[in-house]
Every structure is written in structure tokens, then in C-alpha cells.
Amino acid sequence: MSAIVIAINAAISVSAYLMTVRMIPRFRDMFVKARLYGKDLCKRDQPQVPESYGVLIGCVFLVSLFLFIPIPFTFDEAAAMDVETGGKPATFPHDKFVELIAALLSICCMIFLGFADDVLDLRWRHKLLLPTIATLPLLMVYYVNYNSTTIILPHFARAFFGKSVNIGIFYYVYMGMLAVFCTNAINILAGINGLEVGQSLIIAASILVFNITELCLGHQIESHKFSIYFVLPFLATSLALWKFNKYPSKIINFLYSTPQLFHFVPCPRHRLPKYDAKTDLLHISTTDFHPKELGTLGRVMVTVFRTLRLISWQEKSDGRVITNNFTLINFVLVVFGPVHERVVTQMLMGVQVMCTLVAFVIRYPLANYFYET
């Protein structure tokens, strides 16, 4: 029965892709007329680019999942007629149903917040808070259904803390912070064509491969089926967006951006690379400050980055310093110099692929050294 459910989910996902491909060009003028657009600063003619396509793609994604809601419960053997009990219906899996609805509610919240960001140009402190609010439905349902906050420790820590530790409310704090990190790790890397949705595609594809691998190994079958139900439509709609958003239309970046995100180093409102219309190349964007303006932690961070040659550094006659903005896009330009927008996108997507491969190495070969197989 599970194969039938996944096949239906895949069919709905294909339909979602086709619908999205047809809708995107038809809604372009509508967004422009509503002034929901920006200028592509990395092009000579700086064409108008709609900025709220996310809400359109999100709606198609949600509709596809709404249509899918009855499918797993119709074909689920646990909810089907139980022959052994004389043909009486088995107990309906209310816990699974609530988890599905809660996940959809959280997605609705995130789509709304994304649209609000496009329209209201939210500040970073709001972007850090709102994803946490959007995860509340999932966290509350998890609390009601499971409320398991015990974590299994690796072998080297068991001599000090035992095999497991119940971290209580800190588990929910961690999950809320994880949602903030995952959303903003993509958001702060925005700025050039196809990069955000391209990274989302790579991450979603790696999750799908992980789900399939775990299903083949027989690990946490229900959890990985649940994940596939969401990943397939997401891949389909994201692929449709990437078709229009790629040129010319997440963790490493977060760590590199930390000094500016938390204002240990002055952070301008926008940190996009500068575009040179004469050469059609991207150059680093910069910020300037006096070293005395930095706090102790800021000076330490800047010193470490300078020592490792992770940033550019130019001292002015008045003692002020000019350095690149701390984003992964600018870091690529620091290392390789001015390059074309397409090349930067390809490099950063290559980095994302490498990171996912490292994650698989950690999950399978290396994990066996720290946990029981």
C-alpha cells in the first residue's frame, strides 16, 4: 500500500510542476503592476523582477498537499477494513492525521511570513523571531503526541553522563532555533539568480535520497514516508521556479556571516556584491569602520578572519578599515576575484553539493563509530 501512496504523491507532484510552470509567466505582470518587484542589480539594463513568486509557488505546494491529505489514510493498512475483526474498520490514526495538519499549518505560517517579508521589508530581528512562531503548531503537536525529550549520547560521553540525557524544555528551544537557522541560512545567501532555489533543490534532493536509503534499510519507516510526502511536491514546485529563476533570470554562510548578523562588525542594510556594467562581472561589496569601534569579541573575530585570509583588508589614512561584507558570495569573490554571476552561482551550488556529501559520510560511515549500528 505504501508504494501506491507514494506513486499518487509523485503524480500529484508532477501535476504541481506543470501547473507552476504555466502560472509563473502569467502572474509576472500582475506582480509588477502591484509594485511587488525589484530590480536585478546584476544586469546592465536592471530589468524588473517580481519578488513575491514565493507565495505563488507556496500556494501550489499547499494545494498539492491538500489534495494528498486523504490518500495515506485511505490506503493505510492500519485504517483499512480489518478482515480479522469481521470487516470492522480499524482505529483511525488520529495522531498521524494531526501531525500532517500541523505540518501544513506551519507551512502556511512560513509562506505568510515570507510574503510579509517581501511586502514589509522586515528587519533581521523579526526574521529571527517569526520562524520560531511558525514552528509552534509542530512543537505543540509533538508535545501532545510524544513529548520525548531524551537524546542518545555518543560513546565517548557515556562515561560522564550515561547512555541518554533528558534535556526537557531545552529540546523545544533547540527545535525552535533550528527552524530559525534553516530558514535564514538560505535567506541570507540571496542576491543572485537561482541561488536560493538552487540550494533548496539540492537540499531537498539529498533529503529524498536519505529517506529512500533509510526505507531500504528498514529504519523509521513511517517517519521517512511522512518526509517523502512533503519533499516530492516541494521538489516539483521548486524545480519549476528554478526553471525561471536560474541564470539569467547554510551553514558555512551562516558561520561566515555571524560577525555582521550579530553586529560584532558593522552590517549595512544590503550586502549584495557590486555589479560592474562595463565588464559584466561581480565585485565584492564592502563595509568600513574604525577598529576602535569594535567590541572585544568583534576584534577577535576580525583578527581570526584576517589571519585565515577569509576577508579583504584595506587600511585608510585616517585609521578606518575597508573590508568585504561577510557573506559567502563575497568570500567567493575575495578568493577568485571578480567573476560572472553565473560562475558564482555554479560555485556556491557546488559547495552545497559537497556539504550534502559530507553529511552523508557523517551519517553512515562515521556515525557507526559513535553510536550502535
Side-chain angles (χ1 to χ4, degrees):
M1 291 297 181
S2 298
I4 296 177
V5 174
I6 294 177
I8 294 175
N9 183 272
I12 293 176
S13 300
V14 172
S15 300
Y17 169 81
L18 296 175
M19 181 182 298
T20 307
V21 167
R22 290 179 62 87
M23 290 177 65
I24 288 178
R26 296 185 180 186
F27 276 78
R28 182 187 184 282
D29 292 339
M30 183 181 298
F31 282 112
V32 172
K33 288 180 181 179
R35 297 185 180 276
L36 296 175
Y37 67 89
K39 292 184 177 180
D40 191 342
L41 301 179
C42 295
K43 300 291 184 297
R44 286 193 176 97
D45 54 352
Q46 296 189 356
Q48 295 176 341
V49 180
E51 291 187 336
S52 298
Y53 270 148
V55 68
L56 178 64
I57 310 307
C59 287
V60 177
F61 176 56
L62 280 176
V63 169
S64 65
L65 288 174
F66 290 159
L67 294 173
F68 179 73
I69 287 176
I71 304 302
F73 304 102
T74 301
F75 292 92
D76 195 328
E77 296 179 359
M81 299 298 286
D82 189 351
V83 178
E84 295 182 359
T85 59
K88 296 180 180 179
T91 303
F92 184 81
H94 291 92
D95 54 341
K96 295 181 181 179
F97 180 73
V98 172
E99 289 176 2
L100 179 60
I101 298 302
L104 291 175
L105 181 57
S106 290
I107 293 172
C108 286
C109 292
M110 289 305 302
I111 292 173
F112 170 75
L113 296 176
F115 182 70
D117 184 25
D118 290 335
V119 175
L120 303 177
D121 196 18
L122 299 176
R123 295 187 177 276
W124 273 107
R125 59 175 176 269
H126 300 138
K127 295 180 182 181
L128 294 176
L129 174 63
L130 295 180
T132 305
I133 298 175
T135 62
L136 287 178
L138 281 178
L139 296 180
M140 295 303 100
V141 168
Y142 181 81
Y143 173 79
V144 173
N145 282 355
Y146 305 103
N147 194 28
S148 174
T149 56
T150 299
I151 60 173
I152 305 300
L153 298 178
H155 294 308
F156 65 83
R158 294 179 183 178
F160 306 98
F161 305 103
K163 184 176 181 180
S164 62
V165 173
N166 187 345
I167 60 176
I169 192 174
F170 292 105
Y171 181 86
Y172 295 95
V173 174
Y174 164 76
M175 293 303 294
M177 294 176 63
L178 183 64
V180 174
F181 172 80
C182 290
T183 53
N184 286 290
I186 295 294
N187 196 26
I188 62 178
L189 198 53
I192 57 179
N193 286 318
L195 186 55
E196 285 178 285
V197 67
Q199 290 209 309
S200 299
L201 280 172
I202 294 171
I203 294 171
S206 65
I207 292 175
L208 182 61
V209 171
F210 174 65
N211 292 148
I212 295 174
T213 303
E214 291 294 291
L215 286 176
C216 293
L217 296 175
H219 298 162
Q220 300 290 328
I221 293 177
E222 292 300 321
S223 298
H224 289 288
K225 287 195 300 183
F226 186 83
S227 176
I228 289 176
Y229 297 159
F230 285 84
V231 170
L232 283 179
F234 178 79
L235 267 172
T237 52
S238 297
L239 186 62
L241 177 61
W242 184 73
K243 180 179 180 180
F244 293 94
N245 190 239
K246 66 181 180 179
Y247 183 87
S249 158
K250 318 179 145 160
I251 292 174
I252 296 176
N253 185 63
F254 179 81
L255 295 176
Y256 187 69
S257 299
T258 294
Q260 285 189 317
L261 289 180
F262 294 96
H263 294 281
F264 298 121
V265 174
C267 181
R269 181 74 174 118
H270 297 289
R271 303 182 295 166
L272 296 178
K274 295 179 180 179
Y275 175 68
D276 186 347
K278 294 181 179 179
T279 61
D280 197 25
L281 301 178
L282 297 181
H283 296 254
I284 60 171
S285 62
T286 60
T287 183
D288 70 286
F289 55 87
H290 198 286
K292 294 182 179 180
E293 298 174 358
L294 305 181
T296 302
L297 194 55
R299 288 196 294 270
V300 171
M301 290 181 171
V302 168
T303 300
V304 172
F305 278 31
R306 285 189 63 192
T307 302
L308 297 177
R309 297 185 178 181
L310 299 179
I311 57 175
S312 62
W313 189 268
Q314 180 182 352
E315 296 182 356
K316 300 169 65 175
S317 58
D318 59 357
R320 298 184 67 83
V321 171
I322 299 177
T323 184
N324 62 284
N325 284 308
F326 294 19
T327 68
L328 197 56
I329 299 175
N330 281 301
F331 174 69
V332 169
L333 298 175
V334 169
V335 175
F336 296 98
V339 295
H340 194 272
E341 179 186 11
R342 180 184 62 253
V343 177
V344 177
T345 302
Q346 293 172 346
M347 287 180 176
L348 293 176
M349 290 182 67
V351 170
Q352 185 65 67
V353 171
M354 291 176 59
C355 289
T356 57
L357 293 176
V358 171
F360 275 101
V361 172
I362 294 174
R363 172 59 183 86
Y364 290 105
L366 294 184
N368 295 331
Y369 293 98
F370 299 95
Y371 297 94
E372 294 83 359
T373 57

